[in-house]
Amino acid sequence: MSLASDALHERVRNFAGRCLVGAAPVETFESLALDIARHQAEHHPVLARLVRYHGSRLLTLEDVPAVPADAFRRGRVAAHPPEQDVARFQTSGTTGGAGVHAFRTLETYRQLSVSWGRRALLGAGSARVTVLALAAPFEPERASSLGYMMQELMRELDGRALRDGGAFDGSEPGRWLLAPGVVDVAALRRGVEVAARRDEGLLLLATSFALVWLLEALGDGVLQLPPGSVVMRTGGFKGHVRAVDDAMLAERVARALGVEPERIIGEYGMTELSSQLYDGGAVEGGSVFLPPPWLRVTPVDPVSLAPVPDGEVGLARFTDLGNIDSALNVLTQDRARRVGAGITLLGRQPGARLRGCSLAVEALSSMDADPGALR
Amino acid sequence: MTSPKAALLRVEQLLQAMRRLTLPGSARREALCERLVETTGLSPSGVEWALDRCLELEPTAEEVAALVGSVAPSERAHVILPANVFVAAHRALALALAAAPRVFVKPSRREPALVEELSREAPELFERVSELCVRAGDQVWAYGSDTTLDALRGALPAGAVLHAHGSGFGLAVVELGGAAGVDAIGLRRVALAIAEDTACFEQRGCLSPRVVLALGGGDRVAAFAELLAECLVEVERRLPRGRLAPEELADARWYRECAACFGALHDTGRGAVSLGLELLAVPGQIAVPIEVPPPGRHLEVLAVSCLEPALSGLSRWVTAVGCSDEALEARVRQVLPRARVGPVGSMQRPPFDGPVDLRSEPAGELIRR
């Protein structure tokens, strides 16, 4: 089973690598996706049950049932045994209990996240940047996929110690700027000085709510980032008492950090996925998020689960080639509309469902931390 | 203010008006049923069933006295009615009439039929309004989602008293094993009773069972889930499922897809029974989060080896519990003193002795600013 999985990982990394350099992949998205789905149906009790329930024969990509995102919360969604886990990323639990996405290797996740993040945030052929995170430090035991992704972006896009240009250390003081409810503005200033000394831009990876805290800490002041700087903004306001309009937040952050508004780039990710989408511009109704070539987003009818016609709103169904050992297709309750090569996200499906006792788990989560940091 | 005697008289007038309006075979009832099919989305037989089985028209004198005694008197009372369970208007009105000589009713926009017809039958009983005009000292009975009730709290004037009845759901508890276990005929009777409680109002109300806690071994519980599915099919032949809203249909689909990932899922015509993981409950904590199925005749069956901690973990949300035997009823009452507890098959018709939902404070919430 591991050999089969390893081979799929290699094929996906190859597919992604070729797509990113503009070379024709040696196989199609569909054929790779179907092989992953068949592998999962063979080794993965959850997908096997879903396939049986739907009477699917997995002949085409449309035959592959989507695993609801809630399933990650209800039980193990993995094609490998727990003893092979190298990481178990946890969801924030803000929509009814914490979920877990287990990985038997992080190599593919790391390559996909970093390569698409680099392209989306810095552009093709990008130079090095100093990378800081306006988030709590990544700790393996805290099991945040976002924290892991931020750490790997630091490693790959910066890769040097802040202090003396020595070897990169993900836990170096001054790299992570958030303690519960407190923004380390002094460390951010030092990071800006480092980037200026290096004559390069600063990439600030941040959750939306942490940016609100930063604005509060800065007051009316401006902390000018060096030229070429970028702010990656992710996460909404689930679990927080306050919510701030996205556009207004971007405008205020742009002013406070002295960057152009278009260099504040939204990111959309979920613990249940291995790939992320990035803001590719705005249309009426919000940002258009662009998926990488190894991720497809299909809005589907919430009752029939069939794809809706282009331009109509449906539930976002993700087909993520990076999810080799979990769920190729993930169905969410986020409403989405296809716009060109991307999607706009329109919030959660209004539901009549009473979510009673999942709340028992929710009550345990602390509101002191930034739940946006744990997705 | 009002005297207990006057209050009793007003409640009796309500009962009489409701009896006239719903008299079997009468033209008034026929007209009402036609309207209710339109406004509630329930099937015609579903409406008839609800009128026959869930509308309390013959309470005992003791029950009515208890209902009147459950409220404090005031000059004016207001009732905000929900759309989900049309017969709920009857008890809500009775409580308001027991409290006050002047009663203002704001019917649901989606389901105004029962109140409108009742108002024609007994125009002196209450005033229908489209907007509330609450003053300090008034009492307000409101039924709705927790969000709606929070908004109402913010809008009421200081000095008003709010009786808020928010989200909740029903549980069925069955004993399948040991000396207290029931025979096959008894089991079928229990399953059929739960199926009837489930079909009523398409599970939109807080008395409807959504979850079944089954005491007994895994195999017995799995067999009971199948039996329950059979009984839901049987009930659907007599009481076809009504129309569900698009959000309800979407929730139903989501629930089925999730349930199909884990454990068994039995289709029951237009509903479903899912067999969840065993509920491993310890005092103060539920180890497995319970998935409360959406309306539309969906039940989640869970094996439970230790009943009391499981119930205790659910106390905040459980409004009603139907039990398979009296011994279980006694155990449930110990843990959930504020739930309506009775035999399965009667969950939709608790005694007419006070509010359906006993979780909120009997005196209501005094609004302060």
Side-chain angles (χ1 to χ4, degrees), chain B residues 11 14-19 54-59 67 81 85-97 114-115 118 352:
Chain B
V11 174
L14 170 71
L15 287 163
Q16 286 171 9
M18 199 63 94
R19 285 185 204 117
C54 309
L55 190 62
E56 186 53 83
L57 298 176
E58 303 296 342
L67 182 138
L81 290 170
V85 174
F86 72 88
V87 301
H90 180 49
R91 190 183 299 245
L93 272 168
L95 288 163
L97 288 167
L114 184 70
V115 165
L118 187 64
F352 198 68

Side-chain angles (χ1 to χ4, degrees), chain A:
Chain A
M1 194 277 284
S2 297
L3 284 177
S5 166
D6 285 344
L8 287 167
H9 276 277
E10 199 171 326
R11 285 168 63 187
V12 170
R13 290 198 294 264
N14 186 272
F15 179 92
R18 291 183 71 85
C19 288
L20 280 173
V21 297
V26 294
E27 57 188 327
T28 64
F29 183 99
E30 283 76 9
S31 67
L32 189 43
L34 268 175
D35 283 351
I36 292 170
R38 288 172 187 142
H39 168 77
Q40 290 175 356
E42 189 180 340
H43 297 288
H44 184 326
V46 165
L47 195 70
R49 285 191 206 103
L50 261 186
V51 165
R52 266 200 308 278
Y53 178 67
H54 286 279
S56 168
R57 296 172 59 199
L58 300 182
L59 296 176
T60 69
L61 196 47
E62 277 307 310
D63 288 343
V64 182
V67 174
D70 272 0
F72 285 81
R73 190 165 66 68
R74 295 191 71 175
R76 185 173 170 84
V77 180
H80 62 279
E83 57 270 22
Q84 290 184 11
D85 287 353
V86 297
R88 292 178 185 139
F89 291 142
Q90 282 189 17
T91 64
S92 62
T94 47
T95 52
V100 172
H101 188 177
F103 287 81
R104 60 174 286 280
T105 168
L106 284 171
E107 184 49 32
T108 306
Y109 184 97
R110 195 186 61 76
Q111 183 185 315
L112 302 185
S113 299
V114 170
S115 59
W116 192 240
R118 182 198 301 269
R119 168 73 62 91
L121 296 168
L122 305 178
S126 47
R128 271 190 169 184
V129 284
T130 300
V131 187
L132 303 182
L134 197 50
F138 172 69
E139 294 159 1
E141 61 274 18
R142 196 155 166 264
S144 156
S145 60
L146 178 61
Y148 176 75
M149 187 188 88
M150 287 178 166
Q151 179 186 265
E152 294 311 300
L153 286 169
M154 287 173 184
R155 189 194 307 280
E156 295 294 323
L157 307 187
D158 184 340
R160 298 153 292 171
L162 287 172
R163 196 162 285 184
D164 55 9
F168 172 77
D169 173 5
S171 59
E172 182 184 6
R175 190 70 81 168
W176 303 87
L177 308 176
L178 198 66
V182 181
V183 176
D184 190 345
V185 178
L188 177 57
R189 284 188 205 284
R190 288 196 297 274
V192 168
E193 286 165 14
V194 169
R197 259 201 320 274
R198 290 171 171 176
D199 195 22
E200 63 190 26
L202 183 129
L203 171 60
L204 183 63
L205 310 169
T207 62
S208 293
F209 211 83
L211 286 171
V212 173
W213 284 332
L214 174 65
L215 291 173
E216 283 175 3
L218 291 176
D220 292 331
V222 172
L223 202 170
Q224 178 69 50
L225 301 190
S229 294
V230 173
V231 178
M232 184 200 89
R233 178 167 64 93
T234 187
F237 294 88
K238 286 189 298 183
H240 283 291
V241 177
R242 288 178 299 168
V244 178
D245 175 74
D246 278 352
M248 188 187 295
L249 178 62
E251 194 184 306
R252 289 179 59 199
V253 170
R255 205 177 323 123
L257 299 180
V259 294
E260 299 90 344
E262 61 271 18
R263 295 185 78 84
I264 296 170
I265 298 174
E267 183 260 12
Y268 175 89
M270 294 170 62
T271 300
E272 295 85 346
L273 300 177
S274 300
S275 307
Q276 298 78 34
L277 298 89
Y278 285 90
D279 194 342
V283 292
E284 196 179 337
S287 297
V288 178
F289 285 91
L290 299 174
W294 52 89
L295 174 70
R296 286 187 185 170
V297 192
T298 311
V300 298
D301 181 273
V303 179
S304 70
L305 302 187
V308 299
D310 266 357
E312 289 192 11
V313 176
L315 299 183
R317 186 188 70 194
F318 294 90
T319 303
D320 186 354
L321 297 185
N323 272 4
I324 294 153
D325 300 304
S326 51
L328 173 77
N329 277 347
V330 176
L331 180 67
T332 72
Q333 288 187 305
D334 287 337
R335 294 181 314 135
R337 176 190 286 126
R338 199 196 301 272
V339 179
I343 53 158
T344 53
L345 290 153
L346 304 162
R348 277 176 77 80
Q349 163 81 1
R353 189 171 175 193
L354 178 109
R355 297 182 193 282
C357 300
S358 306
L359 300 168
V361 177
E362 226 178 294
L364 301 174
S365 66
S366 164
M367 296 301 290
D368 290 331
D370 176 3
L374 192 69
R375 68 175 183 212

Side-chain angles (χ1 to χ4, degrees), chain A residues 46 49-50 53-54 68-71 73-75 302-305 331 333 349-354 356-359, chain B residues 167-169 210 247-251 253-254 256-263 265 267 277 289-292 300 314 317:
Chain A
V46 165
R49 285 191 206 103
L50 261 186
Y53 178 67
H54 286 279
D70 272 0
R73 190 165 66 68
R74 295 191 71 175
V303 179
S304 70
L305 302 187
L331 180 67
Q333 288 187 305
Q349 163 81 1
R353 189 171 175 193
L354 178 109
C357 300
S358 306
L359 300 168
Chain B
S167 302
F169 66 92
R210 305 263 193 111
E247 314 87 73
E248 291 175 321
L249 288 169
D251 269 350
R253 184 64 196 253
W254 183 262
R256 279 172 185 251
E257 294 299 311
C258 290
C261 292
F262 302 98
L265 179 69
D267 285 321
L277 303 171
I290 290 181
E291 298 302 317
V292 181
E300 170 101 335
L314 299 172
W317 298 284

Side-chain angles (χ1 to χ4, degrees), chain B residues 157-182:
Chain B
V161 174
L162 175 65
H163 302 268
H165 299 287
S167 302
F169 66 92
L171 269 183
V173 181
V174 295
E175 173 66 75
L176 302 175
V182 283

Side-chain angles (χ1 to χ4, degrees), chain B residues 339-358:
Chain B
R340 290 285 189 173
V341 181
V344 289
S346 67
M347 290 179 71
Q348 301 283 0
R349 192 176 180 170
F352 198 68
D353 57 1
V356 156
D357 180 1
L358 301 174

